Amino acid sequence: MILSIESSCDDSAIAITEIATKKLLFHKKISQELEHSVYGGVVPELAARLHAEALPRILEECAPYFQDLKAVAVTSSPGLAVTLIEGVTMAKAIAVALKIPLIGVNHLIGHIYSLFIEKEVAFPLTVLLVSGGHTQVMEVKNLHDIKTVAKSMDDSFGESFDKVAKMMDLGYPGGPLIQELAKGAQRKRYNFTIPLLHSSKFAFSYSGLKNAVRLAVAESDTEDYKDIAASFEHIATTHLTQKLKKYFKEVPPQTFAIVGGASANLYLREQIEELLKPYKAKLLLSELHYCSDNAAMIGRVAVAMYEERMFSTLESLKITPRSNI
Ligand code: KG4
Ligand code: ZN
């Protein structure tokens, strides 16, 4: 079995995965959403303190599995430096105490493998990762061959939902709150400009849209917020589908996946389904509870890395807050 730890942002999670069967034997996550909600976003120092309380409590529940552990895995990149270090320090302590190998996992690869929890992997894939920290399209051939073909030049898709929710004083995380507010509201009432519409660049940008929404919020009454939310969600999503549509003309999709916390967005799922229809491409999605950050996805990557003996040492396992993918 492999014990895996996730602490890259505001979720403390630990999983136990059986290597031979890929079965998830244990998974527990303690989210900090309530604690950060009053600030309208994640406060790194507070997140680190909460991980220091939550992770040992979850680890205690894993004690019955300790004697069967063959490796310990941990998210080491990308993420908040002060929270990554919490998980990495715990993983190193476990590796020393139980004399087992360490595996450093990239969180973005974790999101890709959230598609294959308790399953065999199926590549190649074109993947859209939409989370709080990232918005990127990747061509994934296998664990070692992941090519990013487009990414955001500024804010991420999920982050823009968080910021719009903050402008409206809705709380954090903003994605589910905006989605709920936008239900049944007018998507075409506010004519926000689609980002990078006339640019040939395959890239994303959300800062301009965020500022346009800020102006609309400042000039409106609270009863208009639902239409602002719906119009924002429509344009934020259209930006993704418009760029993907152009890309698909050059590189027709065969199997397409949406992963990351914001892949839970229903309007996005609908629009991508529509976009894939002419190509008869298959759409893969993670189970809803594995879209947002979790340790089960880190455990699933770790099994693949274990099979290839991709181990780190105490010295070589370092945190890297920025992604190299
Ligand atoms: O993957 P994740 O849990 O954390 C990161 O790796 O960043 O993603 C969290 C992000 C947050 O920005 C949250 O607002 C967004 O995913 N999110 C959504 C929805 N559910 C979560 N965004 C849009 N619509 C949703 N339904
Ligand atoms: Zn994530």
Side-chain angles (χ1 to χ4, degrees), residues 6 8-11 29 107-108 111 129-134 156-162 172-179 233 259-266 291-294 297:
E6 160 62 38
S8 67
C9 189
D10 60 341
D11 295 294
K29 160 163 139 173
H107 182 84
L108 307 189
H111 277 300
L129 165 68
V130 272
S131 68
H134 297 85
S156 76
F157 179 79
E159 187 182 7
S160 70
F161 279 71
D162 295 334
Y172 171 86
L177 298 165
I178 294 288
Q179 172 170 302
E233 186 175 47
V259 300
S263 70
N265 186 277
L266 296 178
C291 287
S292 58
D293 291 349
N294 64 81
M297 67 186 196

